[in-house]
Amino acid sequence: MDNPLSNEAIVRNLQDAGCDHMQIQKFIQYLENQDIQKQLSFLKCHRCTLINEVHNVQKKIDCLDYLIYQLKKGECTYEK
């Protein structure tokens, strides 16, 4: 059997994944209760949140890329 993660390693991993103190406490509670379904649900939910953040940032990057493209083509003007 593989070595399980230590408590410290689990907390560090959740912190590195962007979880705040309250989220970590909730996960630890699920862990202590050995409720793997709630643990998995929590992790999947946080993953979805992070993916949504990535998509939102990508949209912003796309907007900047569009302006850069228009500037290079000489088609970006601003009228007062």
Side-chain angles (χ1 to χ4, degrees):
M1 183 166 131
D2 292 337
N3 291 336
L5 289 174
S6 69
N7 292 350
E8 294 82 16
I10 292 168
V11 169
R12 171 55 70 192
N13 189 279
L14 292 169
Q15 289 171 335
D16 290 347
C19 294
D20 62 29
H21 180 72
M22 295 297 289
Q23 291 172 311
I24 292 170
Q25 290 302 103
K26 183 184 291 187
F27 186 83
I28 289 172
Q29 183 180 14
Y30 299 152
L31 193 60
E32 288 172 348
N33 293 334
Q34 297 180 350
D35 193 338
I36 193 161
Q37 291 307 315
K38 285 187 179 177
Q39 292 172 56
L40 289 171
S41 177
F42 172 89
L43 295 173
K44 288 177 182 179
C45 182
H46 189 65
R47 184 180 187 281
C48 286
T49 299
L50 294 175
I51 287 174
N52 285 335
E53 289 177 19
V54 167
H55 291 163
N56 289 335
V57 171
Q58 183 62 52
K59 287 178 188 177
K60 293 174 185 179
I61 292 170
D62 291 345
C63 289
L64 292 175
D65 287 345
Y66 175 75
L67 284 177
I68 291 168
Y69 172 75
Q70 291 299 330
L71 279 170
K72 287 181 177 180
K73 282 180 47 177
E75 296 182 7
C76 188
T77 61
Y78 183 79
E79 296 179 21
K80 292 183 183 182

